[in-house]
PDB file of all heavy atoms in Angstrom:
ATOM      1  N   ALA A  28      -8.156  31.208   4.278  1.00  0.00           N
ATOM      2  CA  ALA A  28      -7.524  32.102   3.306  1.00  0.00           C
ATOM      3  C   ALA A  28      -7.469  33.551   3.789  1.00  0.00           C
ATOM      4  O   ALA A  28      -6.523  34.293   3.465  1.00  0.00           O
ATOM      5  CB  ALA A  28      -8.277  32.029   1.988  1.00  0.00           C
ATOM      6  N   ASP A  29      -8.463  33.983   4.576  1.00  0.00           N
ATOM      7  CA  ASP A  29      -8.517  35.383   5.029  1.00  0.00           C
ATOM      8  C   ASP A  29      -7.796  35.633   6.340  1.00  0.00           C
ATOM      9  O   ASP A  29      -7.546  36.791   6.694  1.00  0.00           O
ATOM     10  CB  ASP A  29      -9.995  35.815   5.167  1.00  0.00           C
ATOM     11  CG  ASP A  29     -10.728  35.765   3.842  1.00  0.00           C
ATOM     12  OD1 ASP A  29     -10.088  35.994   2.795  1.00  0.00           O
ATOM     13  OD2 ASP A  29     -11.953  35.477   3.862  1.00  0.00           O
ATOM     14  N   THR A  30      -7.518  34.578   7.086  1.00  0.00           N
ATOM     15  CA  THR A  30      -6.963  34.775   8.432  1.00  0.00           C
ATOM     16  C   THR A  30      -5.610  34.116   8.674  1.00  0.00           C
ATOM     17  O   THR A  30      -5.005  34.330   9.727  1.00  0.00           O
ATOM     18  CB  THR A  30      -7.957  34.266   9.494  1.00  0.00           C
ATOM     19  OG1 THR A  30      -8.254  32.881   9.220  1.00  0.00           O
ATOM     20  CG2 THR A  30      -9.235  35.071   9.476  1.00  0.00           C
ATOM     21  N   ASN A  31      -5.119  33.295   7.736  1.00  0.00           N
ATOM     22  CA  ASN A  31      -3.842  32.625   8.005  1.00  0.00           C
ATOM     23  C   ASN A  31      -2.673  33.607   7.865  1.00  0.00           C
ATOM     24  O   ASN A  31      -2.625  34.404   6.917  1.00  0.00           O
ATOM     25  CB  ASN A  31      -3.678  31.421   7.093  1.00  0.00           C
ATOM     26  CG  ASN A  31      -2.946  31.749   5.804  1.00  0.00           C
ATOM     27  OD1 ASN A  31      -1.717  31.711   5.748  1.00  0.00           O
ATOM     28  ND2 ASN A  31      -3.700  32.107   4.758  1.00  0.00           N
ATOM     29  N   PRO A  32      -1.727  33.575   8.813  1.00  0.00           N
ATOM     30  CA  PRO A  32      -0.596  34.539   8.817  1.00  0.00           C
ATOM     31  C   PRO A  32       0.651  34.016   8.111  1.00  0.00           C
ATOM     32  O   PRO A  32       1.700  34.632   8.169  1.00  0.00           O
ATOM     33  CB  PRO A  32      -0.353  34.728  10.304  1.00  0.00           C
ATOM     34  CG  PRO A  32      -0.640  33.379  10.882  1.00  0.00           C
ATOM     35  CD  PRO A  32      -1.779  32.800  10.069  1.00  0.00           C
ATOM     36  N   TYR A  33       0.546  32.842   7.460  1.00  0.00           N
ATOM     37  CA  TYR A  33       1.739  32.203   6.917  1.00  0.00           C
ATOM     38  C   TYR A  33       1.911  32.335   5.423  1.00  0.00           C
ATOM     39  O   TYR A  33       2.842  31.746   4.849  1.00  0.00           O
ATOM     40  CB  TYR A  33       1.719  30.713   7.277  1.00  0.00           C
ATOM     41  CG  TYR A  33       1.561  30.470   8.773  1.00  0.00           C
ATOM     42  CD1 TYR A  33       0.408  29.871   9.268  1.00  0.00           C
ATOM     43  CD2 TYR A  33       2.552  30.865   9.678  1.00  0.00           C
ATOM     44  CE1 TYR A  33       0.237  29.646  10.625  1.00  0.00           C
ATOM     45  CE2 TYR A  33       2.387  30.659  11.032  1.00  0.00           C
ATOM     46  CZ  TYR A  33       1.240  30.037  11.509  1.00  0.00           C
ATOM     47  OH  TYR A  33       1.070  29.842  12.847  1.00  0.00           O
ATOM     48  N   SER A  34       1.041  33.071   4.752  1.00  0.00           N
ATOM     49  CA  SER A  34       1.108  33.214   3.296  1.00  0.00           C
ATOM     50  C   SER A  34       1.096  31.856   2.580  1.00  0.00           C
ATOM     51  O   SER A  34       1.831  31.630   1.625  1.00  0.00           O
ATOM     52  CB  SER A  34       2.385  33.992   2.898  1.00  0.00           C
ATOM     53  OG  SER A  34       2.373  35.276   3.469  1.00  0.00           O
ATOM     54  N   ILE A  35       0.264  30.963   3.076  1.00  0.00           N
ATOM     55  CA  ILE A  35       0.134  29.637   2.465  1.00  0.00           C
ATOM     56  C   ILE A  35      -0.642  29.768   1.165  1.00  0.00           C
ATOM     57  O   ILE A  35      -1.658  30.476   1.093  1.00  0.00           O
ATOM     58  CB  ILE A  35      -0.604  28.670   3.406  1.00  0.00           C
ATOM     59  CG1 ILE A  35       0.179  28.550   4.738  1.00  0.00           C
ATOM     60  CG2 ILE A  35      -0.783  27.298   2.769  1.00  0.00           C
ATOM     61  CD1 ILE A  35      -0.521  27.716   5.783  1.00  0.00           C
ATOM     62  N   PRO A  36      -0.181  29.134   0.080  1.00  0.00           N
ATOM     63  CA  PRO A  36      -0.887  29.211  -1.205  1.00  0.00           C
ATOM     64  C   PRO A  36      -2.356  28.817  -1.075  1.00  0.00           C
ATOM     65  O   PRO A  36      -2.704  27.916  -0.312  1.00  0.00           O
ATOM     66  CB  PRO A  36      -0.129  28.213  -2.088  1.00  0.00           C
ATOM     67  CG  PRO A  36       1.251  28.177  -1.499  1.00  0.00           C
ATOM     68  CD  PRO A  36       1.047  28.309  -0.022  1.00  0.00           C
ATOM     69  N   SER A  37      -3.203  29.475  -1.821  1.00  0.00           N
ATOM     70  CA  SER A  37      -4.653  29.254  -1.719  1.00  0.00           C
ATOM     71  C   SER A  37      -5.029  27.804  -2.044  1.00  0.00           C
ATOM     72  O   SER A  37      -5.945  27.227  -1.437  1.00  0.00           O
ATOM     73  CB  SER A  37      -5.401  30.214  -2.651  1.00  0.00           C
ATOM     74  OG  SER A  37      -4.971  30.044  -3.995  1.00  0.00           O
ATOM     75  N   ASP A  38      -4.353  27.173  -3.035  1.00  0.00           N
ATOM     76  CA  ASP A  38      -4.650  25.792  -3.393  1.00  0.00           C
ATOM     77  C   ASP A  38      -4.350  24.856  -2.232  1.00  0.00           C
ATOM     78  O   ASP A  38      -5.114  23.911  -1.968  1.00  0.00           O
ATOM     79  CB  ASP A  38      -3.844  25.356  -4.615  1.00  0.00           C
ATOM     80  CG  ASP A  38      -4.446  25.884  -5.932  1.00  0.00           C
ATOM     81  OD1 ASP A  38      -5.539  26.474  -5.846  1.00  0.00           O
ATOM     82  OD2 ASP A  38      -3.823  25.721  -6.978  1.00  0.00           O
ATOM     83  N   SER A  39      -3.259  25.113  -1.531  1.00  0.00           N
ATOM     84  CA  SER A  39      -2.894  24.282  -0.370  1.00  0.00           C
ATOM     85  C   SER A  39      -3.937  24.403   0.721  1.00  0.00           C
ATOM     86  O   SER A  39      -4.327  23.404   1.351  1.00  0.00           O
ATOM     87  CB  SER A  39      -1.517  24.679   0.152  1.00  0.00           C
ATOM     88  OG  SER A  39      -0.500  24.503  -0.814  1.00  0.00           O
ATOM     89  N   LEU A  40      -4.403  25.640   0.957  1.00  0.00           N
ATOM     90  CA  LEU A  40      -5.430  25.856   1.964  1.00  0.00           C
ATOM     91  C   LEU A  40      -6.731  25.146   1.579  1.00  0.00           C
ATOM     92  O   LEU A  40      -7.414  24.574   2.437  1.00  0.00           O
ATOM     93  CB  LEU A  40      -5.693  27.355   2.139  1.00  0.00           C
ATOM     94  CG  LEU A  40      -4.580  28.163   2.786  1.00  0.00           C
ATOM     95  CD1 LEU A  40      -4.903  29.657   2.715  1.00  0.00           C
ATOM     96  CD2 LEU A  40      -4.395  27.744   4.241  1.00  0.00           C
ATOM     97  N   ALA A  41      -7.059  25.199   0.287  1.00  0.00           N
ATOM     98  CA  ALA A  41      -8.273  24.538  -0.192  1.00  0.00           C
ATOM     99  C   ALA A  41      -8.204  23.027   0.018  1.00  0.00           C
ATOM    100  O   ALA A  41      -9.188  22.398   0.419  1.00  0.00           O
ATOM    101  CB  ALA A  41      -8.489  24.863  -1.667  1.00  0.00           C
ATOM    102  N   MET A  42      -7.037  22.441  -0.248  1.00  0.00           N
ATOM    103  CA  MET A  42      -6.867  21.001  -0.056  1.00  0.00           C
ATOM    104  C   MET A  42      -7.051  20.621   1.417  1.00  0.00           C
ATOM    105  O   MET A  42      -7.756  19.643   1.730  1.00  0.00           O
ATOM    106  CB  MET A  42      -5.486  20.556  -0.531  1.00  0.00           C
ATOM    107  CG  MET A  42      -5.246  20.664  -2.004  1.00  0.00           C
ATOM    108  SD  MET A  42      -3.538  20.221  -2.436  1.00  0.00           S
ATOM    109  CE  MET A  42      -3.368  21.004  -4.035  1.00  0.00           C
ATOM    110  N   VAL A  43      -6.421  21.378   2.302  1.00  0.00           N
ATOM    111  CA  VAL A  43      -6.541  21.086   3.735  1.00  0.00           C
ATOM    112  C   VAL A  43      -7.978  21.237   4.192  1.00  0.00           C
ATOM    113  O   VAL A  43      -8.506  20.396   4.947  1.00  0.00           O
ATOM    114  CB  VAL A  43      -5.639  22.039   4.541  1.00  0.00           C
ATOM    115  CG1 VAL A  43      -5.888  21.867   6.041  1.00  0.00           C
ATOM    116  CG2 VAL A  43      -4.165  21.794   4.236  1.00  0.00           C
ATOM    117  N   THR A  44      -8.662  22.282   3.721  1.00  0.00           N
ATOM    118  CA  THR A  44     -10.050  22.514   4.102  1.00  0.00           C
ATOM    119  C   THR A  44     -10.939  21.365   3.638  1.00  0.00           C
ATOM    120  O   THR A  44     -11.805  20.877   4.379  1.00  0.00           O
ATOM    121  CB  THR A  44     -10.576  23.832   3.490  1.00  0.00           C
ATOM    122  OG1 THR A  44      -9.755  24.922   3.947  1.00  0.00           O
ATOM    123  CG2 THR A  44     -12.019  24.092   3.898  1.00  0.00           C
ATOM    124  N   GLN A  45     -10.730  20.919   2.405  1.00  0.00           N
ATOM    125  CA  GLN A  45     -11.531  19.807   1.871  1.00  0.00           C
ATOM    126  C   GLN A  45     -11.292  18.522   2.642  1.00  0.00           C
ATOM    127  O   GLN A  45     -12.232  17.753   2.908  1.00  0.00           O
ATOM    128  CB  GLN A  45     -11.206  19.619   0.392  1.00  0.00           C
ATOM    129  CG  GLN A  45     -11.736  20.742  -0.495  1.00  0.00           C
ATOM    130  CD  GLN A  45     -11.237  20.672  -1.914  1.00  0.00           C
ATOM    131  OE1 GLN A  45     -10.281  19.945  -2.236  1.00  0.00           O
ATOM    132  NE2 GLN A  45     -11.869  21.434  -2.802  1.00  0.00           N
ATOM    133  N   MET A  46     -10.040  18.276   3.050  1.00  0.00           N
ATOM    134  CA  MET A  46      -9.728  17.070   3.825  1.00  0.00           C
ATOM    135  C   MET A  46     -10.373  17.126   5.215  1.00  0.00           C
ATOM    136  O   MET A  46     -10.863  16.130   5.719  1.00  0.00           O
ATOM    137  CB  MET A  46      -8.217  16.897   3.942  1.00  0.00           C
ATOM    138  CG  MET A  46      -7.532  16.443   2.659  1.00  0.00           C
ATOM    139  SD  MET A  46      -5.820  15.965   2.925  1.00  0.00           S
ATOM    140  CE  MET A  46      -5.993  14.481   3.907  1.00  0.00           C
TER     141      MET A  46
END
Side-chain angles (χ1 to χ4, degrees):
D29 298 328
T30 56
N31 92 87
Y33 306 114
S34 300
I35 300 174
S37 57
D38 282 353
S39 298
L40 290 172
M42 293 177 200
V43 173
T44 301
Q45 289 171 345
M46 287 191 68

